[in-house]
């Protein structure tokens, strides 16, 4: 008998047997933990959107003040000769 046959037999015995008893308060615990997990995920998602929005606003403010698309003024002036 190969190891695959033994595994299949073990799985069949487990599936044919009666399921183990479930604690009576398990459902309430699972619902409480799940709602807490969903609340944390929702809060984290909102925080990430808020940070993204703040970064976009900060970039727009910086770009409007710094105007990186404009060529900076020349640091030196040409000599004024011939006047």
């Amino acid at each position: 008998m190969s190891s695959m046959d033994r595994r299949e037999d073990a799985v069949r015995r487990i599936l044919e047997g009666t399921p183990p008893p479930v604690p009576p308060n398990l459902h309430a615990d699972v619902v409480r933990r799940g709602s807490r997990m969903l609340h944390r995920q929702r809060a984290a998602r909102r925080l990430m959107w808020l940070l993204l929005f703040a970064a976009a606003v900060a970039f727009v403010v910086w770009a409007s003040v710094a105007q990186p698309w404009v060529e900076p003024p020349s640091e030196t002036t040409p000599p004024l000769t011939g006047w």
Side-chain angles (χ1 to χ4, degrees):
M1 190 180 259
S2 70
S3 64
M4 184 65 93
D5 292 335
R6 284 184 292 217
R7 280 190 229 153
E8 287 179 7
D9 290 340
V11 169
R12 280 196 188 96
R13 273 184 268 133
I14 291 172
L15 291 177
E16 289 171 358
T18 59
V22 177
N25 59 351
L26 181 66
H27 181 263
D29 290 342
V30 169
V31 169
R32 190 180 74 250
R33 288 180 184 172
S35 64
R36 190 181 314 148
M37 185 175 61
L38 286 175
H39 179 69
R40 286 180 184 158
Q41 286 178 351
R42 191 176 304 129
R45 192 175 305 120
R46 285 180 182 164
L47 179 63
M48 292 302 291
W49 277 111
L50 179 67
L51 289 174
L52 180 65
F53 179 73
V57 168
F59 175 76
V60 168
V61 168
W62 169 80
S64 65
V65 171
Q67 295 182 351
W69 56 87
V70 176
E71 185 177 329
S74 177
E75 295 292 327
T76 60
T77 58
L80 293 175
T81 59
W83 279 84

